[in-house]
Amino acid sequence: MRIVALALSLFSALAAAEKTHTFDWKVSWKKVNPDGLHERPVVAINDQFPMPVISIPKGDRLVINLDNQLDEPKRNVSLHFHGIYQEGTPDMDGPIQLAQCPQPVNSTFVYNFTVDQPGTYWYHAHVDDLYPDGYRQAFLVTDDEPYFEDQVEEELAFTLADWYHQLYAVIRDTEFMSLYNPTGAEPVPNSLLWNDTTNFAAQIKPDTTYRLRIVNTAAFSAFYWFIEGQNFTVVEADGVFVDPYPASTLLLNAGQRYSVLFKTPKNATAVYRMGQVADVTLYDYIPSDLKLNQTGWLYTSEDHKHFEELSVEDIYNAVPHGDAKLKHFSSEDIEAMYDMDLVPYDRMKVLPDPDREITLKITMTNLIDGKNYAFFNNMSYVEPKVPTLYTVLSAPDDETASNETIYGTNTNTYVVEHDDIVQLVINNFDGGSHPFHLHGHAFQVLVRAPSINGGETEDDYNPWNPKKPHKFAKHPLRRDVVRVEPYSHAVLRWKADNPGVWIFHCHVEWHLTQGLAIQFVEAPIQIRQNVKISQNHLDVCKQAGIPVQGNAAANDKDFFDLAGQYLQPKYLPDGFTARGYIALAMSTLMAFVGIGFLIWYSVVDTPDDVYEAIETITQE
Ligand SMILES: *[C@@H]1O[C@H](CO)[C@@H](O)[C@H](O)[C@H]1NC(C)=O
Ligand SMILES: *[C@@H]1O[C@H](CO)[C@@H](O)[C@H](O)[C@H]1NC(C)=O
Ligand SMILES: *[C@@H]1O[C@H](CO)[C@@H](O)[C@H](O)[C@H]1NC(C)=O
Ligand SMILES: *[C@@H]1O[C@H](CO)[C@@H](O)[C@H](O)[C@H]1NC(C)=O
Ligand SMILES: *[C@@H]1O[C@H](CO)[C@@H](O)[C@H](O)[C@H]1NC(C)=O
Ligand SMILES: *[C@@H]1O[C@H](CO)[C@@H](O)[C@H](O)[C@H]1NC(C)=O
Ligand SMILES: *[C@@H]1O[C@H](CO)[C@@H](O)[C@H](O)[C@H]1NC(C)=O
Ligand SMILES: [Cu+2]
């Protein structure tokens, strides 16, 4: 692939066989029109957009010198390598205020780690909501020895994504995290993309077995994907090889990847149409000008390039849809492969009973600033003043570093001991599905329960019942992004054998913005023994003006004194059922432009907190 041929120099280390692939990457703005509808600034690397695909062999070292030139508008940068475990290098994981400082304009940060896992990954920014602006691309780790290798003759990789016509931060600040959006409706994208275009076509050879690697790099959307009239064999899910599993339609949630083997038919003049269909259950409304599905083409001969888009009827005929009728057919009817049926090829057994069980309840509601937030156990994630990894390292002793208190109230931190079996129960008390991602691990998915009655209302809430006897798969699915259905639950398990600070968050960027994240401080004592922060880390923090020592409140004298830490806005006073009341207030506000809102507030019995709320709100 051409990416490997990019500016890459090889240092053959004397002792080790590992090669080092070095990339000098300058990040800057570029004006691009990916969907043919609207030109806008996107983030580019070395003036290249789409960004370069990384493709390196397993066992090799990757060095990226990342130079931030995102000026006007200014942005901080970082890089996260989604799905890469970063064993021994948790300081290279990328999320800001966890593993490093945000990297300001005119600074350089060096990512340097070895990649010891084959599979399909991707890289993206993990700072200031930047990745939806195009800062994302596939990261392929090649390997001579996956079990299906001798069947593969050719390989193709591509991304599926959604696209907005404005910068994410602009939509976030004007439309999304706004008083005018009291229900937290997620902005719906303007387009769907394949490989960052709307006319994706790739040439294939007939009668050849391809490994197709498909990566969903969307900010929000989930996609059904298929090849019209064809079946294929699933062999990888999120970097984990699985037993061959025949399928015709996949559902990829934001952040998920699959590899499939596809034998192209003998017909040398064929064009194969592939479909990408947005999962409309995620969208609160459907703009009339949004194309809900997008076609991609595989063609065998330049002479037979005639690209026709899939019609609704073509899609209907191509995917399993139960007894749905064409007239009312939508993505909700599509029956994609059930990922829980996949069996990891390495036959890893279900992990033993947990040493540590954490149960999380997801809710979404308005806080006193009138904006809609997302919560795990009533806590909406707020970044600490000091990146948590540095707090681990600067704590005076192991005992302090092992105490959750020092990491702050709103970081929602869980300290887990080295080699603990951790079980995470996620109860979703929300009417939307969420694709959850854990850094540092692939987890076993023991349970991924369907919604009851479609999960339409709170009455359908179906949390995990720990008292009920459960039988888990002997070799459960393992992956790094799992979809949790509306008003339902999932149970995940992993072994805490990778010391580091790892974030667990929803991969819908809007929901991460709303605070749907927790973090694990995994094996703090081992982190302190093995990790040393480089001078480069410290230099970037200095340039960003961020302290590198102390607790979540940047107190390095008394780690238990959290005065001054960043907190979420206050809850609304009792008696406010946030959504209903605020929605009512908002419709009043819309009608009377501000005045109605105040009148409405003043007719209710007003505690002081409400006056405070009004003040906050009217200052906006
Ligand atoms: C960049 O990081 C600095 C330091 O944390 C912060 O003050 C600033 O708001 C960030 N810039 C953006 C655009 O988010
Ligand atoms: C970055 O460096 C360039 C060249 O030295 C300078 O013109 C620009 O003002 C700098 N930007 C910031 C934000 O420091
Ligand atoms: C990358 O890390 C390795 C191992 O710590 C070190 O030997 C090498 O010098 C580093 N390379 C760069 C460019 O920092
Ligand atoms: C998808 O785009 C990337 C980046 O431009 C490119 O390297 C890759 O070859 C494309 N995939 C296909 C199948 O064309
Ligand atoms: C795909 O698989 C389904 C279910 O096994 C089967 O009915 C269908 O004939 C297959 N289609 C092709 C083109 O092989
Ligand atoms: C495909 O897109 C068209 C245009 O947006 C829409 O009318 C149709 O319902 C979509 N079909 C599916 C299955 O998404
Ligand atoms: C953590 O520190 C607090 C404050 O000193 C203390 O009350 C608590 O018992 C400690 N927790 C553990 C698990 O040691
Ligand atoms: Cu979410």
Side-chain angles (χ1 to χ4, degrees), residues 174 256 315 331 333-334 514:
T174 60
Q256 290 184 326
I315 298 173
S331 66
D333 302 312
I334 301 179
Q514 287 175 292

Coordinates of all heavy atoms in Angstrom, one line a residue, residues 174 256 315 331 333-334 514:
T174 N -23.0 26.0 19.2 CA -24.1 26.8 18.8 C -25.4 26.0 18.8 O -26.5 26.5 19.1 CB -24.0 27.4 17.4 OG1 -23.8 26.3 16.4 CG2 -22.8 28.3 17.3
Q256 N -16.2 0.5 15.2 CA -16.1 -0.9 15.0 C -15.4 -1.2 13.7 O -15.6 -0.4 12.7 CB -17.4 -1.6 15.1 CG -18.0 -1.7 16.5 CD -19.3 -2.5 16.7 OE1 -20.1 -2.5 15.8 NE2 -19.4 -3.1 17.8
I315 N -31.9 -2.3 -2.3 CA -31.4 -2.6 -0.9 C -32.3 -3.6 -0.2 O -31.9 -4.5 0.4 CB -31.4 -1.3 -0.1 CG1 -30.4 -0.3 -0.7 CG2 -31.0 -1.5 1.4 CD1 -30.4 1.1 -0.1
S331 N -34.1 1.1 7.5 CA -32.9 0.3 8.1 C -33.3 -0.5 9.4 O -32.7 -1.4 9.7 CB -31.8 1.3 8.5 OG -32.3 2.2 9.5
D333 N -35.6 -2.5 9.7 CA -36.0 -3.8 9.3 C -34.8 -4.8 9.0 O -35.0 -6.0 8.8 CB -36.9 -3.8 8.1 CG -38.1 -2.9 8.4 OD1 -38.8 -3.1 9.4 OD2 -38.4 -2.1 7.5
I334 N -33.6 -4.2 8.8 CA -32.5 -5.0 8.4 C -32.0 -5.9 9.5 O -31.8 -5.5 10.6 CB -31.3 -4.1 7.9 CG1 -31.9 -3.2 6.7 CG2 -30.1 -4.9 7.4 CD1 -30.8 -2.2 6.2
Q514 N -20.9 15.2 26.0 CA -21.9 15.3 27.1 C -21.4 14.6 28.4 O -22.1 14.7 29.4 CB -23.2 14.7 26.7 CG -24.0 15.5 25.7 CD -25.3 14.7 25.3 OE1 -25.2 13.7 24.7 NE2 -26.4 15.2 25.7

